[in-house]
Amino acid sequence: MNPNQLASQMISEASQVAINSWNAIKSTAVTEFRGLSQRIVMIARLYAQGEISKAGARRHFKAARYHVIAILAMLTALVEAAAAKIVNAALKVIADAVNAAIGFKLV
Amino acid sequence: MLRSLTVFLVVATLSGCLTVQFGEPYDKVIDDELNSFQKSTAEFLKSMQQNSGNAKSSYGSDESKKYYASSSASLSNMMLRASLLSDRECPSQRVAKIATPALTPSVERLDRAEAGLGISSSNNEGTFAGMNCSTVAIWSLQETHKNLEADHREYGRLSAGVAQLNGLSIDQSVRVALTTVRANK
C-alpha cells in the first residue's frame, strides 16, 4: 500500500461526497428560508386585514422564531450526517485497499 | 498532517471502526408518526373549511375535540421517543455561526414585520436547552400545533386565511422535523 496514493484516493472520494452533501444542504436551507418569508408575509397580511388578533400575530411570530431554531437544528443534523458520510467514504477506501492488498476480505 | 490522518484512518479501519455516525439514529416510528400527523391535520383543516358556517367547524365540536386530543398525544409521544434517541444537546450554536449570513435576512425580516405591526414576540430560546436535534425540530412543530388550537379557541372557527396560515406553518414544521429525523437514514 502506498500511503500517498491512498491519501489521494481518500480525498477524491471524500470530496465527491462533500460536494453532493453540501449542494443538498444548501438547497434545503434555501427552500426553508423562502418558506419562512412566505409565512411572515402571511402573518402580517392577516393581522392587517383583521383576521388575526394582536395576540394571535404575536403567537405566530413566536412560532416563526422557533421555526428558525428548528431549521438550525435540521441543518446541524444534515451537516453531521454529511461529515459522517465523508469519513465513511474515506474509511471505505482504506478497507478496500487493505482487502485488496491481503487478497481476502479482512475489514 | 495528511500522512498522520491517513495513518489514523488506517488504524481506525483495522480496529473495526468501519463506519461512524454523528447525531441521532433514524427512528422509523417517528417518521411514520410525522406523516400520519401531517395527513390528519390536513384532513382536519379541510373538514373545518367544508363545514364552515355550521356547528361542526366550531372549536367545541366533537371532531375538533377528537383531533386536538389525538394530535397532541401523538406529538407528546414523538417528543418522548425523540428525547430517548440521544441525550446529547444539539450543537446548533456552531452551525448558527456558519449559517449567520443566510439566517440574518430572515430574522431581520421577522424583526421588521413585528416592528411594523407594533408587536414584539418574547424570546424563549432557552426552552430548547439540552434537547437533541430531532427533539428541537419536533418541539417547534408542537409549538406550531399549539397555535392552531389557540387560534381555533380564540376565534371559535378557523377562517380560510387562518386555516391557510396554520396549514402552511404545520407543513413547514413537519418538513423540517422529517428532514432532521431522516438525516441519518
Side-chain angles (χ1 to χ4, degrees):
Chain A
M1 276 193 294
N2 178 339
N4 291 333
Q5 196 187 341
L6 197 58
S8 323
Q9 268 181 284
M10 280 162 51
I11 290 168
S12 166
E13 286 292 321
S15 303
Q16 197 50 54
V17 172
I19 290 165
N20 293 341
S21 301
W22 174 246
N23 286 339
I25 291 169
K26 200 164 71 173
S27 148
T28 305
V30 168
T31 304
E32 294 310 329
F33 286 121
R34 275 196 189 136
L36 183 65
S37 299
Q38 196 187 350
R39 187 162 154 185
I40 295 165
V41 169
M42 201 184 279
I43 300 167
R45 183 170 53 81
L46 290 173
Y47 178 64
Q49 290 170 348
E51 274 201 62
I52 54 172
S53 64
K54 196 167 188 168
R58 190 178 288 123
R59 278 197 302 267
H60 283 283
F61 278 127
K62 201 178 199 178
R65 287 185 189 276
Y66 289 156
H67 190 60
V68 173
I69 296 165
I71 292 173
L72 271 178
M74 175 195 74
L75 293 175
T76 305
L78 291 175
V79 167
E80 286 188 331
K85 276 184 199 162
I86 292 165
V87 174
N88 289 334
L91 287 175
K92 188 177 179 304
V93 169
I94 296 166
D96 290 347
V98 169
N99 290 336
I102 58 172
F104 63 92
K105 195 169 186 245
L106 176 70
V107 287
Chain B
M1 167 80 179
L2 193 61
R3 203 179 171 87
S4 311
L5 182 66
T6 309
V7 170
F8 167 75
L9 287 171
V10 169
V11 172
T13 307
L14 293 173
S15 313
C17 300
L18 289 174
T19 55
V20 297
Q21 184 185 300
F22 308 118
E24 300 87 64
Y26 170 67
D27 186 324
K28 190 178 183 307
V29 174
I30 296 178
D31 191 319
D32 292 344
E33 194 80 10
L34 280 167
N35 280 300
S36 161
F37 170 83
Q38 197 279 335
K39 190 168 173 272
S40 66
T41 301
E43 284 169 356
F44 173 71
L45 289 173
K46 192 166 184 186
S47 168
M48 291 296 109
Q49 292 312 293
Q50 283 169 343
N51 290 307
S52 74
N54 67 49
K56 281 184 181 173
S57 68
S58 71
Y59 177 66
S61 69
D62 287 346
E63 187 182 353
S64 299
K65 282 180 195 162
K66 194 177 161 194
Y67 165 75
Y68 288 119
S70 96
S71 53
S72 299
S74 162
L75 283 165
S76 295
N77 181 249
M78 284 189 268
M79 278 292 284
L80 181 68
R81 279 194 75 95
S83 69
L84 293 173
L85 292 175
S86 162
D87 55 8
R88 190 190 67 141
E89 183 173 321
C90 185
S92 52
Q93 290 302 321
R94 271 176 258 161
V95 173
K97 282 181 192 156
I98 302 165
T100 297
L103 211 63
T104 306
S106 294
V107 175
E108 282 178 354
R109 203 165 292 144
L110 254 169
D111 290 340
R112 275 200 307 274
E114 287 188 4
L117 301 175
I119 288 170
S120 172
S121 61
S122 60
N123 198 340
N124 282 350
E125 287 175 12
T127 51
F128 63 95
M131 293 181 187
N132 64 45
C133 296
S134 297
T135 313
V136 171
I138 296 167
W139 163 78
S140 167
L141 172 61
Q142 200 173 33
E143 293 300 316
T144 305
H145 178 258
K146 280 181 193 166
N147 270 358
L148 169 63
E149 185 169 7
D151 281 349
H152 206 168
R153 191 188 303 117
E154 184 180 344
Y155 312 124
R157 284 181 172 73
L158 296 168
S159 70
V162 173
Q164 198 187 353
L165 172 62
N166 280 287
L168 174 78
S169 305
I170 286 176
D171 282 352
Q172 288 177 354
S173 295
V174 169
R175 194 170 55 233
V176 165
L178 269 176
T179 308
T180 310
V181 167
R182 288 178 183 172
N184 276 316
K185 190 178 177 185

